[in-house]
Amino acid sequence: MKLFIQTLFFFLIAAQICFGQWIPVGLSGQGIKDIAVQDSNIFAVTADGGEVYRSNDKGMNWTLIVDSNAVDIAISPSGKVFMIKDTLDDYWSYSTLFFSTDNGDTWVQSDIVEQLVDSIPTGWSWPRNITINPSGIVFCGIITGGSFAGQSALAKSTDDGLNWSTPGMEVRGGNIFAFKEPYVLTVGSGWFGCAHGDYLYLSSDYGSNWNFLGYPPGPMTNSLGLFSNGNILIGVWNWNGAGQRDILISTNNCISWTYICTINCQVGLSFQSEFSEGMLIGTDSLGVFLFSDEGDSLGSRNDGLTNLNVQALTLANNGYVYAGTDNGVWRRPLFEIIPVELASFTATSNGNEVILNWSTATETNNQGFEIQRSTDSKEFFTVGFVNGHGTTTEQHNYTYLDKNLENRKYYYRLKQVDFNGTYEYSDVVEVEWRAFTSYLLEQNYPNPFNPSTVFSYQLPVSSDVTLKVFDVMGNEIATLVNEEKPAGTYEITWYAENLSSGVYFYQLKASNYIETKKMLLLK
């Protein structure tokens, strides 16, 4: 029996590795509206009653630590836990910010409102939500003038919630935040004449100074993403359907918005890994959907998720995405949700063929890649297929050679196909192909690299050749070739394990031909 149990346990673990999916973490039967996670500690707020449960062992055991009325919860990098809790009296309800330095065993009321008395009206103001950026700066949304018609404001703390500052009532932010350090994006609400609406603000210095970007494309924003390419993804109220939200993207700093889709979105989680960025959207009946930082809808990510009412999403420091549903807490590694992280994709020509090189950082359920070619960048045709590596967290490099070409410009893209038939296109790369009649130094591959990279060059005639590597100061680092070479194509691998990260240059001299290119070593 012991052998059988061990074998079954191994099979279940292997199944999770090979067929990645959501797995339950605990609190089955409970509706969960907010989650905060750090290391092995998980805090979950229930949708009915606002109870707070804590697990210190990654969800194996849970303890009730707050019995009612919790609204929001967050953990700073230091381990300090913040909670906003509603207080009900005979006439009104308001919220209070608490913090705990002993993992939620005891709570201390914050004096945030008292600290902001000179900048935000007191008496009718209280904290409503708490968010912490990757650097540990704590941001708090403030409601003023009543919970329905009041104007929103924000405050921040750079010392783990001890001291608070605010830009005052001039910045109507704080309802929701998105971070791409050092940038902070926020949406808030307030009065404009006789109308009440939403406002978008951006800070480029961790929230010290703010610029008004404009108005969101709709009210009641509940998802917000800010990405390295400058794009902004947002989910706003759709007036035509109860509970429905329009997902839109702006690629020009909120000057205009492009509609993506309508979905019953409840929560958004923007993420970034080493090679990709995007947003996960949790819905009230359809589960979790993935959108890229370009606004591409990449489909659902619901494998293993038995309850599709997703009210909370958070990305923990251990690389797991946690979801709060009507049936407890679930988790899944982020790398499983991103089907293939494409690290690089290049096209080069050597006079004989076009060489396509690409590499992946991780792969999930990856059947392989269709190689598609075009002569006008609009109509693509499949010219080959390269098998993938299924599910893996290791980097893999791929190469495809496209031959029998005419002298012209070509465009290539990859169609990455999962075993279940879903697919995603890469960016398009272009290359000018000419018959083998000239000198040519290719861009090194991979680039960036660690610790080795490959240089390729071609010679139309026999030539005295030198190939050298230099640092940014012009100092010669290595001589890789220094001899006469006959006409042909050549490759040479360079190892830089003894060098530090940074920019380097490599230069080819052959007869009267001189070409220098830049490369990046990342360790």
Side-chain angles (χ1 to χ4, degrees), residues 157-179:
S157 172
T158 58
D159 57 4
D160 233 11
L162 296 178
N163 296 282
W164 295 88
S165 62
T166 177
M169 303 305 294
E170 292 78 16
V171 177
R172 302 176 177 93
N175 289 355
I176 189 171
F177 294 90
F179 305 106

Side-chain angles (χ1 to χ4, degrees), residues 44-110:
V45 181
T46 63
D48 295 329
E51 300 165 320
V52 178
Y53 287 86
R54 179 190 66 202
S55 173
N56 296 329
D57 51 14
K58 300 181 180 180
M60 295 182 63
N61 299 282
W62 292 85
T63 302
L64 177 66
I65 59 173
V66 177
D67 59 8
S68 64
N69 296 331
V71 176
D72 204 8
I73 199 159
I75 308 176
S76 74
S78 70
K80 193 171 188 177
V81 186
F82 294 85
M83 174 185 64
I84 292 181
K85 187 177 181 182
D86 276 340
T87 300
L88 308 176
D89 60 27
D90 294 336
Y91 303 101
W92 200 249
S93 66
Y94 56 92
S95 301
T96 305
L97 176 64
F98 295 86
F99 63 86
S100 173
T101 58
D102 55 10
N103 215 31
D105 288 336
T106 59
W107 297 89
V108 178
Q109 181 174 333
S110 168

Side-chain angles (χ1 to χ4, degrees), residues 36 86 164 202 209 215 225 261 284 342 367 416 448 459 509 516:
D86 276 340
W164 295 88
L202 179 68
N209 298 279
Y215 306 98
C261 68
D284 71 1
L342 196 63
Q367 181 180 2
Q416 183 273 315
L459 308 173
K509 289 184 178 181
T516 304

Side-chain angles (χ1 to χ4, degrees), residues 162-239:
L162 296 178
N163 296 282
W164 295 88
S165 62
T166 177
M169 303 305 294
E170 292 78 16
V171 177
R172 302 176 177 93
N175 289 355
I176 189 171
F177 294 90
F179 305 106
K180 180 61 184 176
E181 296 189 332
Y183 295 92
V184 185
L185 184 68
T186 186
V187 173
S189 55
W191 291 99
F192 182 77
C194 296
H196 193 267
D198 287 356
Y199 301 78
L200 263 167
Y201 293 86
L202 179 68
S203 170
S204 60
D205 54 8
Y206 295 96
S208 296
N209 298 279
W210 296 89
N211 294 314
F212 174 62
L213 293 185
Y215 306 98
M220 292 181 256
T221 301
N222 70 355
S223 55
L224 188 66
L226 176 64
F227 306 109
S228 297
N229 56 13
N231 293 347
I232 296 173
L233 206 64
I234 197 169
V236 297
W237 182 262
N238 179 295
W239 294 104

Side-chain angles (χ1 to χ4, degrees), residues 145 333 386:
V386 175

